[in-house]
């Protein structure tokens, strides 16, 4: 799926623009260290994200998708490398709901997403006739 819009902190935007220079974006915060950041007002950020997404969708043909040519390689922080069939094995063993990837446990995020989806369904029932 081509990526045409990204929002996030300044470092995320800078990194993304290195690979997709003309992508639409919104910087939502700028970090000054691991525990300090300058953030924008949420109401303003929501408006900026909506406007940025609309601009991006109007420019679909102008924003070239990032293409990563094989061989695909993942280098872990502990020095291990996975490529070719090793990537398939890594994916099968390490990725999936209810399992950990490194020190990340996806289950809390999954629960949060499920709750948000249920809230949206309830709200949507009032909006859509």
């Amino acid at each position: 799926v081509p990526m045409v819009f990204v929002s996030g902190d300044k470092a995320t935007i800078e990194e993304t623009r290195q690979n997709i220079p003309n992508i639409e974006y919104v910087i939502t915060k700028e970090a000054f260290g691991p525990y300090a950041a300058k953030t924008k007002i949420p109401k303003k950020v929501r408006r900026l994200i909506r406007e940025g997404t609309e601009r991006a969708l109007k420019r679909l043909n102008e924003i070239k998708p990032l293409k990563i040519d094989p061989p695909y390689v993942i280098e872990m922080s502990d020095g291990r490398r996975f490529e070719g069939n090793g990537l398939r094995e890594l994916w099968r063993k390490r990725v999936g709901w209810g399992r950990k990837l490194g020190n990340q446990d996806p289950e809390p995020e999954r629960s949060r997403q499920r709750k948000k989806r249920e809230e949206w369904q309830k709200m949507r029932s009032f909006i859509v006739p």
Side-chain angles (χ1 to χ4, degrees):
V1 176
M3 183 167 58
V4 295
F5 177 80
V6 64
S7 65
D9 67 359
K10 186 176 181 182
T12 298
I13 303 305
E14 289 173 354
E15 185 176 336
T16 303
R17 291 189 71 212
Q18 288 175 9
N19 295 306
I20 309 171
N22 60 347
I23 192 167
E24 288 288 340
Y25 63 91
V26 169
I27 297 174
T28 59
K29 67 180 178 179
E30 183 177 350
F32 294 111
Y35 305 108
K38 180 171 86 172
T39 62
K40 293 182 179 176
I41 298 168
K43 186 175 182 177
K44 180 178 181 179
V45 169
R46 285 191 298 269
R47 180 181 53 80
L48 293 172
I49 289 172
R50 185 180 320 104
E51 291 169 357
T53 303
E54 288 173 0
R55 282 192 311 274
L57 293 174
K58 290 175 183 175
R59 297 182 50 229
L60 284 176
N61 295 330
E62 298 173 35
I63 304 171
K64 302 267 189 253
L66 173 64
K67 184 175 185 234
I68 302 172
D69 294 321
Y72 307 110
V73 177
I74 294 178
E75 292 185 11
M76 306 296 271
S77 58
D78 61 7
R80 292 179 296 155
R81 268 176 76 91
F82 297 90
E83 55 188 299
N85 287 337
L87 280 174
R88 188 176 301 119
E89 188 67 21
L90 172 68
W91 183 265
R92 198 182 66 188
K93 283 183 177 180
R94 303 284 294 213
V95 178
W97 293 117
R99 296 186 189 158
K100 287 186 177 184
L101 177 60
N103 64 354
Q104 301 294 317
D105 183 357
E107 202 53 46
E109 180 64 14
R110 183 179 185 194
S111 297
R112 188 184 71 75
Q113 288 174 348
R114 186 180 303 119
K115 184 177 178 185
K116 288 289 184 189
R117 187 172 49 246
E118 289 169 0
E119 289 172 5
W120 168 245
Q121 292 297 334
K122 286 177 187 174
M123 286 178 19
R124 191 171 151 231
S125 67
F126 291 108
I127 297 169
V128 179

